[in-house]
Amino acid sequence: MSESPKTRILLADDHALVRRGVRLILDSEPDLTVVGEAGDGAEAIELARAEQPDLAILDIAMPRLTGLQAARELTRLQPQLRILILTMYDNEQYFFEALKAGAAGYVLKSVADRDLVEACRAAMRDEPFLYPGAITALIRNYLERANDGGELPPKAITDREEEILKLVAEGHSSKEIADMLVISVKTVERHRANLLHKLGLRDRLELTRYAIRAGLIEP
């Protein structure tokens, strides 16, 4: 009887040490294999196109594109790709954003050695994998919405504005951002002006502080 093929995994984290540790956990399993490593969200998207993995494991706070931004793009480009978020953030906002971005599971780095392998297998069975705190948050959120009869509030800014906010906060010029996103400098400037107006901020410094609070960049 032939062995079933291994689940091919793409791993994205901006810390090489974390990637090495996670890879050791995954490659020691008979049914899992890491086929590519990325240091940021944009690289993860490129690698996913090249390698066509079954599963992507994404950190949240990464340069260029966060794991959540990459997850949204990968969900659009490769709807069959399963996605797990592996993060140090035990944070309800990120957790709900991850679900909206198309992630099948949310695993904390602090317990990755215990939970990650099972999360990978659950994702491949099309089952969600949530850590206990996330399940509590999900239930509480559901009950609050049921009591209020309301929906989740919409995001303050669009996905494109979020993309530009992150790059501005990382110190890129309008010209550099325009080149990266293949749009005009004028379009970048318009998005920047919209961001300042929407968020009630004055300058790049305040945008950077906002981006740190929103988890788009690390302080």
Side-chain angles (χ1 to χ4, degrees):
M1 197 171 78
S2 64
E3 286 184 29
S4 55
K6 290 188 176 193
T7 296
R8 302 172 73 256
I9 298 170
L10 165 65
L11 183 57
D13 193 296
D14 56 330
H15 298 291
L17 207 59
V18 173
R19 291 201 307 271
R20 194 175 310 144
V22 171
R23 186 170 197 146
L24 278 172
I25 293 170
L26 298 174
D27 280 346
S28 65
E29 297 297 320
D31 55 332
L32 307 173
T33 182
V34 175
V35 295
E37 292 184 30
D40 62 53
E43 197 184 338
I45 291 168
E46 288 167 26
L47 258 176
R49 279 201 177 107
E51 294 291 342
Q52 295 290 310
D54 306 305
L55 174 67
I57 299 175
L58 310 173
D59 182 27
I60 289 184
M62 293 190 289
R64 292 206 288 169
L65 288 180
T66 68
L68 296 175
Q69 290 172 320
R72 284 196 285 266
E73 184 66 6
L74 286 170
T75 299
R76 190 180 66 77
L77 293 172
Q78 299 180 25
Q80 78 291 353
L81 176 67
R82 274 76 158 200
I83 296 169
L84 287 177
I85 298 294
L86 177 65
T87 179
M88 62 182 191
Y89 297 116
D90 183 355
N91 176 306
E92 286 184 29
Q93 183 191 341
Y94 296 147
F95 163 62
F96 286 117
E97 287 293 336
L99 294 186
K100 282 197 285 183
Y106 194 95
V107 181
L108 294 180
K109 286 182 180 178
S110 56
V111 289
D113 55 337
R114 187 190 73 199
D115 287 353
L116 186 57
V117 169
E118 182 47 44
C120 291
R121 290 174 182 150
M124 295 313 295
R125 295 193 301 266
D126 283 328
E127 294 171 11
F129 183 92
L130 309 172
Y131 68 99
I135 295 168
T136 306
L138 201 58
I139 293 167
R140 186 166 63 240
N141 181 267
Y142 173 81
L143 293 173
E144 283 170 1
R145 285 168 59 199
N147 289 336
D148 297 344
E151 288 296 312
L152 281 173
K155 271 174 65 175
I157 58 177
T158 66
D159 290 350
R160 177 57 107 189
E161 285 167 349
E162 183 184 271
E163 211 171 356
I164 286 169
L165 167 62
K166 178 173 169 58
L167 294 170
V168 167
E170 285 177 351
H172 297 288
S173 68
S174 294
K175 172 80 172 69
E176 287 169 340
I177 295 170
D179 291 344
M180 280 185 209
L181 301 180
V182 199
I183 55 179
S184 71
V185 173
K186 196 178 280 185
T187 301
V188 174
E189 296 291 357
R190 192 177 73 243
H191 281 304
R192 265 179 78 151
N194 286 346
L195 277 166
L196 291 169
H197 175 70
K198 271 188 183 181
L199 300 173
L201 305 175
R202 286 190 302 259
D203 53 27
R204 178 194 284 258
L205 182 61
E206 291 192 350
L207 278 176
T208 303
R209 286 193 190 121
Y210 180 91
I212 290 169
R213 283 202 310 275
L216 291 172
I217 62 170
E218 291 181 319

